[in-house]
Amino acid sequence: DGGITQSPKYLFRKEGQNVTLSCEQNLNHDAMYWYRQDPGQGLRLIYYSQIVNDFQKGDIAEGYSVSREKKESFPLTVTSAQKNPTAFYLCASSVKGRETQYFGPGTRLLVL
Amino acid sequence: GNSVTQMEGPVTLSEEAFLTINCTYTATGYPSLFWYVQYPGEGLQLLLKATKADDKGSNKGFEATYRKETTSFHLEKGSVQVSDSAVYFCALTFPYGQNFVFGPGTRLSVLP
């Protein structure tokens, strides 16, 4: 089955700790995206990548970092500089040049 | 800039009622328009889309027509079921564009 997987489903972060959220896709999509969703709100773009070894900041990149070393993988690190990290994080992918984005099941990040 | 506005929720209906969720957009040019659905604790799933004026997207009994003259893409279903309870997001993007613009989402609750 082709799709997007995100892990873990729930993640707990301690003060001052960096945590990494995993996103993997086997759809052979070139483009990948990270969104943040706060309760009762829409999605805000954190980072996106159109091709391996290249990525761009979205609307709310501060306190986050990404890498794109493989086409299939686009991990997101929530750094200690992100002061309000509690949210639901969604990864998506799309065929380059096509509009439709396909989403993973999400990771809920909570702060201890 | 580009933006999407959706009707305020939550929307509460009885089973078999008619559903309309309003969506209007502001954009420079001619975007593609989408409806995504999010079930509790899950990622977003593409529900339907339309890529040009007067196109009608449809799926699972849901329909929406791209109205350029009113810059709208209202979601309708003739007879809702309890299983349709979810949050519905209207969104736009442009061909070869990187990013989606999402509305804030409308929560639908269908009561038996």
Side-chain angles (χ1 to χ4, degrees):
Chain A
D1 275 340
I4 303 174
T5 57
Q6 291 186 242
S7 61
K9 189 173 175 68
Y10 296 95
L11 185 57
F12 298 91
R13 193 190 91 163
K14 296 180 182 177
E15 289 288 336
Q17 187 181 42
N18 293 353
V19 292
T20 297
L21 286 62
S22 168
C23 177
E24 304 276 333
Q25 54 97 1
N26 61 3
L27 300 168
N28 200 33
H29 286 173
D30 294 295
M32 297 186 74
Y33 310 81
W34 274 106
Y35 293 91
R36 171 179 171 141
Q37 185 180 25
D38 291 284
Q41 298 189 28
L43 280 67
R44 293 183 290 170
L45 182 66
I46 306 173
Y47 268 99
Y48 63 96
S49 168
Q50 296 282 305
I51 197 168
V52 174
N53 292 322
D54 189 43
F55 48 83
Q56 284 79 40
K57 294 182 179 179
D59 301 318
I60 55 164
E62 187 174 348
Y64 300 97
S65 66
V66 294
S67 62
R68 187 85 187 277
E69 297 176 2
K70 297 187 300 182
K71 187 176 185 178
E72 303 80 25
S73 178
F74 191 41
L76 173 74
T77 296
V78 184
T79 74
S80 57
Q82 174 49 247
K83 298 306 180 188
N84 184 23
T86 297
F88 191 48
Y89 290 87
L90 288 160
C91 179
S93 70
S94 68
V95 175
K96 190 176 179 182
R98 303 283 182 88
E99 306 101 340
T100 305
Q101 291 187 11
Y102 297 89
F103 285 80
T107 292
R108 189 166 298 282
L109 176 60
L110 300 166
V111 177
L112 295 177
Chain B
N2 302 320
S3 66
V4 174
T5 303
Q6 291 181 234
M7 62 188 293
E8 293 283 333
V11 174
T12 302
L13 296 172
S14 297
E15 206 166 21
E16 299 184 2
F18 184 86
L19 168 71
T20 300
I21 300 178
N22 289 340
C23 170
T24 57
Y25 67 90
T26 300
T28 304
Y30 303 103
S32 295
L33 302 173
F34 299 78
W35 277 102
Y36 281 85
V37 59
Q38 184 178 34
Y39 298 101
E42 298 184 8
L44 274 66
Q45 299 176 25
L46 177 66
L47 183 58
L48 53 85
K49 69 176 188 179
T51 57
K52 61 183 188 297
D54 300 325
D55 268 2
K56 178 186 282 188
S58 61
N59 186 25
K60 300 181 181 179
F62 291 90
E63 293 183 339
T65 302
Y66 189 141
R67 302 286 187 200
K68 187 163 74 77
E69 63 276 12
T70 55
T71 61
S72 65
F73 193 54
H74 304 322
L75 183 68
E76 296 182 336
K77 187 176 185 183
S79 176
V80 293
Q81 305 301 311
V82 172
S83 56
D84 294 327
S85 298
V87 180
Y88 292 81
F89 291 93
C90 186
L92 67 81
T93 193
F94 288 89
Y96 300 94
Q98 301 92 341
N99 305 332
F100 270 60
V101 176
F102 285 91
T106 301
R107 182 175 299 277
L108 169 66
S109 294
V110 180
L111 305 178

